[in-house]
Amino acid sequence: MAAEQRLRSVNFWSGVVVLCLTIAGALVGIYQLNEVLTDEQQVPLAELNVQGELHYTANEEVRQALTAEPLGSFFTADVDDLRRRVEQLPWVQKVSIRKVWPDKLSVYVTEHKPVAMWNGDRLINQHQEVFRADIEKADSSLPQLFGPENAVKETWKEFNRVQQMLEVNGFQIRALRLTERFAVSVVLAQGIEVKLGREATLERIKRFIDVFPSIVKHEKSKDNEIDTVDLRYDTGAAVAWREAKSES
């Protein structure tokens, strides 16, 4: 009986020792694996693949933004942090980043598409969002919009509404201004300012189109250029001329 008890005790403690050694070995293995996975030299991000229709941002600018700080390893690189780095570039609207095993970072960049200039120093994109970038890179023919900072969408909507009607009749808007009281005035490609006011803007545009031929035929238009056409009246229009520039 005593011999049997001693055998059981030996077996028990042997099992405990084996279990402890197994656990210790597993912990050491996990630690070593973690060291490998988090070591940039062991699992580096060796390739950056930049994609997207880039017109204003060079691929090298994206690469520089990503590598301005350490990337981390394939497993430790924070894609949200890397995305924010690229989105700080002025012309970048949105970025999608994913890791591709074993060592690639795939970066897809969507740029702002400027549709108008805003208050002289910024731009409006295709989603009516204001962004700041090098205006010199934008198309110089973009319309210039001026309005309250909290009324970007309203200003863009008013521009499209007025432009649609004028364009059918051969006029193009160079600039539009929306005041704090939502009064509208536009400057045409010919340099003529058309004051439309707050109400019945489409009816006033129609009146401008109807009376414009008569204004052009007016005797003052022979030696002068049309400066402004004020339509903020129930009927008719007030016209101002400026001296025509002499050609040298």
Side-chain angles (χ1 to χ4, degrees):
M1 181 67 71
E4 184 178 348
Q5 288 180 344
R6 283 197 298 273
L7 180 61
R8 288 179 181 176
S9 177
V10 169
N11 289 339
F12 172 78
W13 287 110
S14 296
V16 171
V17 171
V18 170
L19 177 62
C20 290
L21 290 174
T22 301
I23 294 173
L27 291 174
V28 170
I30 292 172
Y31 173 79
Q32 291 178 338
L33 178 62
N34 182 68
E35 288 293 300
V36 171
L37 296 182
T38 57
D39 186 352
E40 293 183 38
Q41 303 303 318
Q42 297 287 341
V43 194
L45 284 168
E47 183 178 349
L48 296 178
N49 184 19
V50 180
Q51 298 175 309
E53 295 184 17
L54 302 181
H55 300 285
Y56 307 98
T57 308
N59 283 11
E60 188 57 32
E61 290 182 83
V62 177
R63 294 175 185 276
Q64 289 176 358
L66 285 168
T67 58
E69 298 178 29
L71 288 172
S73 73
F74 182 88
F75 294 97
T76 62
D78 185 341
V79 293
D80 289 330
D81 177 61
L82 297 178
R83 174 178 52 78
R84 284 190 289 269
R85 294 185 197 180
V86 181
E87 286 181 346
Q88 289 177 359
L89 295 173
W91 286 97
V92 173
Q93 180 195 11
K94 186 172 61 176
V95 179
S96 175
I97 296 180
R98 64 187 181 91
K99 302 173 187 177
V100 181
W101 179 260
D103 60 358
K104 182 187 293 185
L105 200 65
S106 181
V107 184
Y108 191 89
V109 180
T110 302
E111 285 188 317
H112 293 287
K113 294 181 180 178
V115 296
M117 297 184 186
W118 178 247
N119 283 340
D121 62 349
R122 283 158 293 161
L123 295 153
I124 300 174
N125 70 12
Q126 69 274 33
H127 302 295
Q128 292 89 65
E129 298 167 337
V130 176
F131 68 101
R132 191 180 295 277
D134 185 1
I135 293 178
E136 296 298 322
K137 286 187 177 182
D139 188 343
S140 60
S141 65
L142 289 177
Q144 299 188 45
L145 306 186
F146 300 87
E149 290 296 337
N150 61 348
V152 178
K153 292 186 177 181
E154 291 82 353
T155 308
W156 175 247
K157 180 179 179 181
E158 195 66 31
F159 165 78
N160 281 286
R161 194 165 71 107
V162 175
Q163 171 65 17
Q164 186 175 10
M165 191 167 182
L166 285 170
E167 193 173 32
V168 173
N169 293 275
F171 297 98
Q172 289 288 331
I173 297 177
R174 181 193 298 169
L176 178 143
R177 182 179 297 278
L178 188 69
T179 69
E180 293 286 347
R181 299 185 63 191
F182 284 75
V184 179
S185 64
V186 299
V187 176
L188 304 179
Q190 300 94 322
I192 303 170
E193 181 182 5
V194 181
K195 298 180 179 181
L196 299 169
R198 296 174 56 192
E199 302 173 353
T201 53
L202 296 185
E203 289 82 352
R204 290 172 180 178
I205 291 170
K206 185 177 183 304
R207 191 194 314 163
F208 168 76
I209 293 167
D210 291 340
V211 303
F212 187 72
S214 300
I215 298 173
V216 173
K217 292 178 182 178
H218 194 280
E219 59 180 15
K220 284 192 175 182
S221 293
K222 294 178 182 179
D223 301 315
N224 299 280
E225 295 177 346
I226 303 169
D227 187 28
T228 62
V229 179
D230 193 342
L231 296 153
R232 296 173 296 178
Y233 304 93
D234 293 335
T235 58
V239 183
W241 283 265
R242 63 176 177 272
E243 186 177 348
K245 296 180 181 178
S246 59
E247 296 183 1
S248 54

